[in-house]
């Protein structure tokens, strides 16, 4: 064949294969036999093999073309990927509808688009001139990770579009793992002595975070789009439903069972039908998503912090089962908290087998009157750890009371319960191996110093053999020490040392998080890192900390307490001396529209005070409980009491709900 003929033949085969894929995966109407499809595919493969210079990344043969990569690049989303407000009851659904009608000044039924809410991982995919060019995780909504190579392996993600597509299109959707594939994957994991995934969502997430796309390709993932945005080209239709149908004509798999209904009662009906069919669907659903169908109305409604006002995730109730409570053990956490853990007769709930569940703390046990030997109701809600809800008293036989141990089950130190706190705590501090182990695991975790290869098992081994006591000791580990460990080769030891060395270059936020200060999670660490240098943070007073949005007295107290401990200061000093460092930026206090303002909320408003508080804080304001001369405004609802009187006395600005809404949308 002459070269131009080869080119044309390849082109024709690709078109034919793409068309068959479209019919099979998107329309669910296959038009050829598997054998015929395979023949075309092999013909294309053979031609491409003979003419490798004609291979393009979007060729149907190239889904698993890529070789392993070092790590994922960070990408910034074109527009933030939003989260959804949740509703758990018909009342909350009704409230959503009322609010929408109120904001739009309508009393006629709203047209709502309904769809199942899959429990998967949200991703963004970009098509340029009809070709898949980039796929990324949602990440924190603003930035995600480029997982293009992994997304390409998913057969239900089209690599090329059909028909008259726009020149740049972003598609957002959910990557899910079918329940059956999830169960098979876990069975295989258990057989190979590996840790099974907790649920299909974690399994999907784990599969997409593989550095080797060949592994992802084996994981049987599927994709459903839930929205699209034309970046360049003719805009999408003016309703959500039609937009989805349009995406489908371009070869994009859309969320199934998408339906437009009139009024909130019909939404409730859709929900009930979906719930009744929950177990029949091949994917795990955690509820439904309801959206205002008309895009122009969506635009009028806008957003509150990170979620649209025009959409709602209406969640299914958690699944519950009854099983036997065989024993209760106490686990010691990173900060010494003793958590009672129920050892259960294994039982399947929500698609996974559960044999442990949390009992939270002694107060909860007393309140629910749970005893060893009881039959208990166990609940699993989404990704939340299963919990014991209540005993089944009608089935109670021989039972024993659950007793808090007097001594720590790990180090034998005294166990104390602090007045006014539910938790019981081991007094051993870092003498306690459990606390050493857990705090080191936290330190090396991905969100912390991110030391790859230094997993839970290895941390336990190192602490138990007394090779490390504190996180600072990690940076003094030698190759000899590591390679002398059981089951540790020379190569692994070298890799771990390299990862340890690499972790020295970090960010201040990750460093703060890694320290493991009580109740300082990723977002608080981030916040602290933008307002303080390390020196400033170490000497910050409770007042200085309280001045930041989102930091309350409890967290402020934990932070001050942490840096008052000589041992902690020693560890920090040692870490810095070992070379742990981060780029030093000049601290500029990020200027938000309401930075420096303090508000107090009183009376009944159409939303909960917590919601309003969060919105104000998101804009940089501080919200306190009592009115003083420093208060910039009192937000006044119905039936306001003494706070209103005091504010009037002090001459403080009063803000009603309409003014509040203006304040919240001001930029
Ligand atoms: O299926 C989902 N998990 C899902 C997530 C469906 C949607 O329609 C979504 C979503 C997240 C954000 N829509 C938005 C706006």
């Amino acid at each position: 064949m002459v070269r131009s003929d080869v080119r044309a033949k390849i082109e024709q085969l690709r078109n034919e294969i793409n068309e068959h894929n479209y019919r099979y995966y998107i329309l669910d109407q296959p038009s050829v036999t598997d054998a015929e499809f395979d023949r075309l595919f092999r013909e294309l493969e053979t031609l491409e093999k003979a003419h490798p210079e004609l291979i393009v990344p979007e060729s149907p043969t190239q889904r698993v073309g890529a070789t392993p990569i070092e790590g994922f690049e960070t990408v910034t989303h074109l527009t933030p990927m939003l989260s959804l407000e949740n509703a758990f009851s018909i009342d909350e659904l009704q409230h959503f509808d009322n609010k929408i009608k109120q904001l739009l000044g309508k009393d006629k039924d709203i047209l709502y688009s309904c769809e199942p809410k899959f429990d998967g991982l949200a991703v963004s995919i970009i098509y340029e001139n009809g070709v898949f060019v980039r796929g990324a995780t949602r990440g924190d909504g603003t930035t995600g990770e480029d997982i293009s190579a992994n997304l390409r392996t998913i057969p239900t993600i089209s690599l090329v579009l059909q028909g008259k597509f726009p020149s740049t299109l972003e598609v957002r959707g959910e990557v899910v793992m079918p329940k059956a594939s999830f169960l098979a994957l876990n069975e295989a994991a258990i057989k190979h002595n590996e840790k099974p995934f907790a649920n299909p969502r974690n399994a999907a997430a784990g599969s997409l975070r593989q550095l080797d796309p060949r592994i992802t390709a084996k994981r049987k993932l599927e994709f459903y789009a839930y929205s699209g945005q034309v970046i360049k080209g003719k805009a999408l239709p003016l309703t959500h439903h039609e937009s989805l149908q349009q995406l489908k004509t371009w070869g994009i798999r859309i969320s199934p069972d998408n339906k437009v209904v009139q009024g909130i009662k019909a939404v409730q009906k859709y929900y009930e039908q979906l719930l009744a069919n929950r177990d029949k669907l091949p994917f795990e659903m955690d509820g439904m998503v309801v959206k205002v169908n008309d895009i122009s109305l969506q635009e009028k409604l806008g957003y509150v912090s990170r979620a649209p006002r025009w959409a709602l995730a209406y969640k299914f109730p958690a699944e519950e089962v009854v099983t036997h409570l065989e024993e209760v053990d106490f686990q010691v956490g990173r900060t010494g908290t003793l958590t009672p853990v129920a050892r259960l007769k294994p039982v399947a709930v929500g698609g996974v087998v559960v044999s442990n569940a949390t009992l939270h703390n002694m107060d909860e046990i007393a309140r629910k009157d749970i005893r060893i030997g009881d039959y208990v109701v166990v609940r699993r809600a989404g990704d939340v750890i299963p919990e014991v809800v209540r005993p089944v008293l009608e089935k109670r036989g021989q039972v024993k009371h659950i007793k808090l141990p007097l001594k720590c089950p790990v180090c034998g130190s005294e166990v104390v319960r602090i007045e006014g706190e539910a938790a019981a705590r081991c007094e051993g501090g870092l003498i306690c191996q459990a606390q050493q182990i857990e705090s080191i695991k936290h330190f090396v975790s991905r969100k912390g110093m991110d030391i790859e290869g230094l997993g839970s098992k290895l941390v336990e081994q190192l602490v138990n053999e007394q090779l490390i006591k504190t996180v600072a000791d990690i940076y003094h580990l030698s190759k000899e020490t590591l390679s002398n460990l059981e089951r540790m080769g020379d190569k692994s030891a070298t890799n771990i040392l390299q990862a340890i060395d690499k972790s020295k270059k970090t960010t201040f936020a990750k460093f703060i998080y890694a320290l493991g200060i009580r109740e300082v999670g990723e977002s608080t660490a981030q916040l602290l890192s933008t307002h303080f240098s390390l020196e400033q943070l170490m000497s910050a007073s409770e007042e200085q900390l309280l001045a930041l949005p989102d930091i309350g007295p409890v967290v402020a107290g934990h932070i001050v307490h942490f840096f008052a401990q000589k041992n902690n200061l020693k560890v920090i000093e040692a870490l810095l001396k070992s070379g742990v460092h981060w780029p030093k930026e000049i601290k500029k206090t990020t200027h938000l529209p309401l930075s420096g303002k303090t508000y107090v909320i009183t009376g009944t408003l159409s939303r909960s005070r917590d919601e309003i508080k969060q919105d104000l804080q998101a804009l940089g304001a501080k919200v306190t409980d009592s009115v003083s001369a420093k208060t910039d405004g009192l937000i006044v609802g119905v039936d306001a009491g003494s706070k209103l009187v005091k504010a009037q006395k002090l001459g403080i600005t009063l803000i009603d709900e309409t003014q509040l809404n203006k304040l919240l949308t001001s930029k």
Side-chain angles (χ1 to χ4, degrees):
M1 247 194 290
V2 292
R3 217 185 123 87
S4 62
D5 287 348
V6 174
R7 196 184 282 274
K9 182 70 192 167
I10 283 183
E11 180 95 343
Q12 181 217 330
L13 284 167
R14 283 180 190 156
N15 285 342
E16 241 178 287
I17 291 168
N18 286 337
E19 175 72 18
H20 292 316
N21 274 335
Y22 171 59
R23 288 174 175 277
Y24 184 85
Y25 288 116
I26 315 300
L27 302 180
D28 210 6
Q29 288 166 351
S31 49
V32 284
T33 61
D34 289 355
E36 171 65 6
F37 183 87
D38 287 345
R39 192 191 63 72
L40 291 169
F41 199 87
R42 273 198 305 271
E43 194 179 343
L44 177 60
E45 273 182 330
T46 312
L47 275 178
E48 285 183 345
K49 211 168 185 175
H51 303 272
E53 72 286 357
L54 295 178
I55 297 178
V56 291
E58 65 272 20
S59 169
T61 59
Q62 298 302 302
R63 288 193 177 267
V64 208
T67 40
I69 51 168
E70 295 269 313
F72 302 108
E73 307 255 335
T74 302
V75 296
T76 303
H77 296 300
L78 300 173
T79 54
M81 286 185 79
L82 305 165
S83 49
L84 294 172
E85 286 288 348
N86 288 324
F88 295 93
S89 67
I90 189 165
D91 286 349
E92 288 174 332
L93 178 68
Q94 187 66 59
H95 178 77
F96 168 75
D97 184 50
N98 292 345
K99 193 75 213 240
I100 283 172
K101 286 180 175 162
Q102 185 206 326
L103 288 168
L104 294 175
K106 280 186 190 273
D107 48 33
K108 275 206 301 220
D109 277 349
I110 306 280
L111 289 177
Y112 287 113
S113 154
C114 300
E115 69 196 34
K117 182 169 186 297
F118 289 129
D119 206 8
L121 209 78
V123 299
S124 145
I125 296 170
I126 294 177
Y127 291 93
E128 301 254 21
N129 300 317
V131 176
F132 175 115
V133 290
R134 192 193 81 188
T137 60
R138 174 178 182 277
D140 63 6
T142 309
T143 57
E145 288 178 315
D146 186 329
I147 51 162
S148 302
N150 292 343
L151 289 175
R152 283 173 183 286
T153 69
I154 301 175
T156 43
I157 294 181
S158 303
L159 297 180
V160 291
L161 299 182
Q162 307 278 319
K164 283 190 147 172
F165 45 76
S167 46
T168 311
L169 175 73
E170 183 188 13
V171 175
R172 290 174 178 182
E174 204 82 7
V175 172
V176 285
M177 183 179 284
K179 286 185 219 165
S181 315
F182 163 73
L183 291 175
L185 180 65
N186 268 358
E187 249 169 58
I190 291 165
K191 213 162 100 193
H192 293 103
N193 267 329
E194 289 160 13
K195 209 175 150 219
F197 288 104
N199 52 48
R201 192 223 323 225
N202 286 1
S207 304
L208 285 179
R209 297 201 84 268
Q210 293 291 331
L211 293 174
D212 185 348
R214 283 168 297 196
I215 299 179
T216 312
K218 292 196 186 116
R219 292 289 172 85
K220 302 218 167 46
L221 299 167
E222 297 195 27
F223 174 76
Y224 287 109
Y226 61 69
S227 74
Q229 178 127 26
V230 172
I231 311 297
K232 217 165 108 201
K234 187 165 167 282
L236 282 163
L238 293 173
T239 69
H240 179 64
H241 185 77
E242 287 169 301
S243 295
L244 290 178
Q245 300 310 319
Q246 176 72 270
L247 291 179
K248 187 170 173 178
T249 68
W250 294 332
I252 290 154
R253 187 119 171 283
I254 58 169
S255 197
D257 301 317
N258 182 279
K259 212 170 134 183
V260 178
V261 304
Q262 187 178 341
I264 209 69
K265 284 215 176 70
V267 175
Q268 175 66 20
K269 203 165 148 207
Y270 179 96
Y271 173 86
E272 282 163 15
Q273 277 167 0
L274 199 62
L275 185 55
N277 286 319
R278 181 182 196 175
D279 293 332
K280 295 198 193 99
L281 262 129
F283 302 104
E284 190 144 308
M285 290 183 278
D286 59 350
M288 68 171 287
V289 179
V290 47
K291 293 180 176 172
V292 171
N293 192 40
D294 186 327
I295 308 281
S296 66
L297 295 184
Q298 290 185 359
E299 281 164 3
K300 274 192 193 138
L301 289 162
Y303 303 85
V304 216
S305 24
R306 317 228 68 213
R309 281 209 188 84
W310 42 263
L312 186 72
Y314 186 13
K315 296 286 191 81
F316 288 150
E319 290 189 60
E320 296 186 344
V321 290
V322 173
T323 188
H324 190 242
L325 172 53
E326 297 179 330
E327 191 53 74
V328 173
D329 291 331
F330 286 81
Q331 253 169 20
V332 186
R334 172 166 61 84
T335 56
T337 309
L338 263 67
T339 305
V341 179
R343 305 295 178 203
L344 306 165
K345 182 163 191 270
V347 62
V349 46
V352 300
V353 174
V354 166
S355 53
N356 301 308
T358 179
L359 289 158
H360 298 293
N361 55 56
M362 294 310 288
D363 286 355
E364 282 289 295
I365 291 174
R367 191 176 66 75
K368 295 172 178 166
D369 184 28
I370 295 166
R371 304 188 199 173
I372 296 168
D374 264 330
Y375 283 87
V376 289
V377 175
V378 175
R379 166 162 57 197
R380 205 187 127 246
D383 56 347
V384 183
I385 303 163
E387 64 165 352
V388 178
V389 186
R390 61 171 183 277
V392 183
L393 291 175
E394 307 82 70
K395 290 181 92 171
R396 181 170 275 178
Q398 276 270 342
V399 291
K400 272 195 320 200
H401 280 283
I402 299 166
K403 286 209 196 84
L404 180 69
L406 299 171
K407 305 267 185 227
C408 169
V410 177
C411 71
S413 298
E414 205 173 324
V415 169
V416 294
R417 283 186 78 180
I418 298 159
E419 199 79 43
E421 259 187 54
R425 212 171 290 284
C426 155
E427 282 290 86
L430 283 183
I431 308 168
C432 177
Q433 288 204 345
Q435 292 182 57
Q436 286 173 16
I437 288 171
E438 294 308 316
S439 62
I440 294 170
K441 281 186 196 168
H442 177 85
F443 183 82
V444 303
S445 68
R446 182 182 282 281
K447 293 181 192 169
M449 301 300 283
D450 194 11
I451 306 181
E452 222 176 300
L454 195 48
S456 297
K457 281 261 145 56
L458 186 54
V459 171
E460 281 163 31
Q461 205 178 356
L462 289 167
V463 173
N464 289 334
E465 297 189 17
Q466 304 194 1
L467 296 167
I468 56 175
K469 260 206 172 73
T470 74
V471 295
D473 301 333
I474 293 171
Y475 293 96
H476 298 295
L477 284 169
S478 67
K479 172 123 186 256
E480 204 188 348
T481 313
L482 282 174
S483 43
N484 277 342
L485 290 169
E486 224 178 291
R487 288 193 305 270
M488 172 79 70
D490 240 30
K491 182 100 199 332
S492 319
T494 309
N495 287 345
I496 290 167
L497 282 179
Q498 267 172 7
I500 291 173
D501 203 52
K502 194 170 141 211
S503 77
K504 289 179 185 169
K505 182 168 169 244
T506 183
T507 66
F508 186 33
K510 278 176 162 269
F511 181 77
I512 298 173
Y513 173 85
L515 291 176
I517 305 168
R518 283 179 67 191
E519 295 193 30
V520 175
E522 233 183 336
S523 65
T524 307
Q526 184 67 45
L527 178 76
L528 292 169
S529 76
T530 56
H531 285 81
F532 297 104
S533 66
L534 178 62
E535 295 69 31
Q536 288 166 335
L537 181 62
M538 285 167 71
S539 59
S541 66
E542 288 197 24
E543 288 73 42
Q544 282 172 312
L545 292 164
L546 281 171
L548 299 190
D550 279 339
I551 296 212
V554 176
V555 184
H558 289 324
I559 296 169
V560 170
H561 180 77
F562 183 90
F563 291 110
Q565 306 300 305
K566 280 219 181 70
N567 276 337
N568 290 336
L569 302 184
K570 266 196 212 149
V571 168
I572 292 172
E573 198 181 326
L575 287 171
L576 298 178
K577 226 166 137 189
S578 306
V580 171
H581 67 285
W582 50 86
K584 305 265 186 314
E585 290 163 37
I586 297 157
K587 294 294 149 197
K588 44 177 184 348
T589 30
T590 32
H591 198 80
L592 292 167
L594 300 180
S595 290
K597 300 271 189 209
T598 304
Y599 297 96
V600 178
I601 311 171
T602 186
T604 310
L605 293 131
S606 74
R607 294 189 300 144
S608 78
R609 285 193 204 175
D610 256 349
E611 283 177 288
I612 296 171
K613 182 172 172 183
Q614 279 172 18
D615 287 353
L616 285 166
Q617 286 174 341
L619 295 177
K622 209 171 115 180
V623 178
T624 61
D625 283 328
S626 60
V627 175
S628 77
K630 286 194 203 138
T631 308
D632 291 289
L634 179 70
I635 292 149
V636 191
V638 181
D639 285 336
S642 61
K643 285 180 193 163
L644 177 57
V645 179
K646 187 162 175 197
Q648 281 170 323
K649 237 187 231 160
L650 293 170
I652 282 159
T653 312
L654 304 179
I655 299 168
D656 69 11
E657 188 146 10
T658 321
Q659 289 164 321
L660 170 68
N661 287 336
K662 267 204 201 125
L663 190 67
L664 289 176
T665 47
S666 64
K667 291 254 162 67

